[in-house]
Amino acid sequence: MSPQRKPQGSVLLTGFAPFGGETGNPSWDAVNSLDGEVVAGHRIVARRLPVAFDDSLRELNNHIDAVRPALVLCVGLAGGRSRLSIERVAINLIDARIADNRGAQPIDRPVIAGGPAAYFATLPVKAMLAALGEAGIPAEISQTAGTYVCNQVFYGLMHALSARGDAGVRGGFIHIPYSPAQAAHHAGAASLAIDTVAQGLRVAVDTALATTLDRRIAGGAEH
């Protein structure tokens, strides 16, 4: 039997704590289920972020410093969506419809004062979309990550990677639907099993690590 190959590097996956009155968050459940797995020669390191404007970016940056990943993929819950939503763009805006877990509700505030209006994900979003479709996992490209903590983390991630000059470290964000257990309390809401989400994240990470030049396929929207 040949010896197991040592992982070439790490991938940082983050999920979130529960928020908005929910008792769980499938973004963390799915990410945590992958902790320690090796995908495309890289070991997955899962970390949970708080749903708190004052703490989320500080903790994310601490995790990046500690893990020194080759790739960062943040994952968050978007109840009401029916597919894995691969986010394309993060905007420099916080406009909280609800308070965070510490009671803060900033309105019309930048994520980073003086920062660019927006950042694009540096992951191969179209290749990831195609790979997820081939794997039978419902997915889409999303043009908005909202204006809550998920967008703040996505923008803050891309700003941090840009500021560090970590040209070789790519980053992005995926929103996921409710879990079936959550959807049972939200009439008519779509859901995806946590195992399906976890498999989708495996496919997304594998594709991102293996793809340098993104595919040129349609993934836009009319509205």
Side-chain angles (χ1 to χ4, degrees):
M1 179 181 296
S2 59
Q4 186 176 8
R5 296 179 63 184
K6 183 178 180 181
Q8 303 165 11
S10 297
V11 170
L12 176 61
L13 290 187
T14 70
F16 282 100
F19 71 100
E22 300 287 343
T23 58
N25 192 321
S27 70
W28 172 242
D29 294 335
V31 164
N32 190 41
S33 74
L34 299 176
D35 188 46
E37 286 194 16
V38 176
V39 175
H42 291 68
R43 185 174 301 281
I44 292 178
V45 178
R47 295 291 183 266
R48 192 173 85 159
L49 299 179
V51 181
F53 290 105
D54 288 342
D55 299 329
S56 60
L57 292 187
R58 174 180 53 79
E59 293 201 17
L60 174 63
N61 284 319
N62 287 343
H63 295 321
I64 294 172
D65 287 339
V67 175
R68 301 181 63 84
L71 184 149
V72 183
L73 178 58
C74 299
V75 183
L77 171 65
R81 298 196 191 186
S82 60
R83 299 168 175 263
L84 297 191
S85 293
I86 308 165
E87 299 295 348
R88 178 181 273 179
V89 59
I91 61 174
N92 192 13
L93 175 67
I94 299 172
D95 191 358
R97 181 181 61 83
I98 60 174
D100 68 12
N101 284 353
R102 293 188 179 276
Q105 191 177 0
I107 295 173
D108 296 340
R109 194 184 83 186
V111 178
I112 303 291
Y119 283 106
F120 285 97
T122 50
L123 301 182
V125 297
K126 296 293 187 67
M128 291 161 64
L129 175 68
L132 287 165
E134 291 164 5
I137 297 170
E140 63 187 355
I141 301 294
S142 169
Q143 318 300 333
T144 174
T147 57
Y148 195 54
V149 180
C150 286
N151 175 75
Q152 181 202 28
V153 163
F154 182 17
Y155 184 95
L157 166 66
M158 304 315 301
H159 185 80
L161 295 181
S162 175
R164 291 162 183 257
D166 292 339
V169 181
R170 294 185 292 171
F173 196 102
I174 289 180
H175 266 120
I176 66 170
Y178 284 128
S179 69
Q182 287 178 307
H185 300 285
H186 298 274
S191 67
L192 275 180
I194 290 170
D195 287 348
T196 301
V197 173
Q199 178 57 19
L201 296 178
R202 285 190 194 95
V203 171
V205 168
D206 182 74
T207 304
L209 290 170
T211 305
T212 302
L213 183 65
D214 201 4
R215 296 183 61 176
R216 188 176 177 84
I217 58 176
E222 289 74 48
H223 53 79

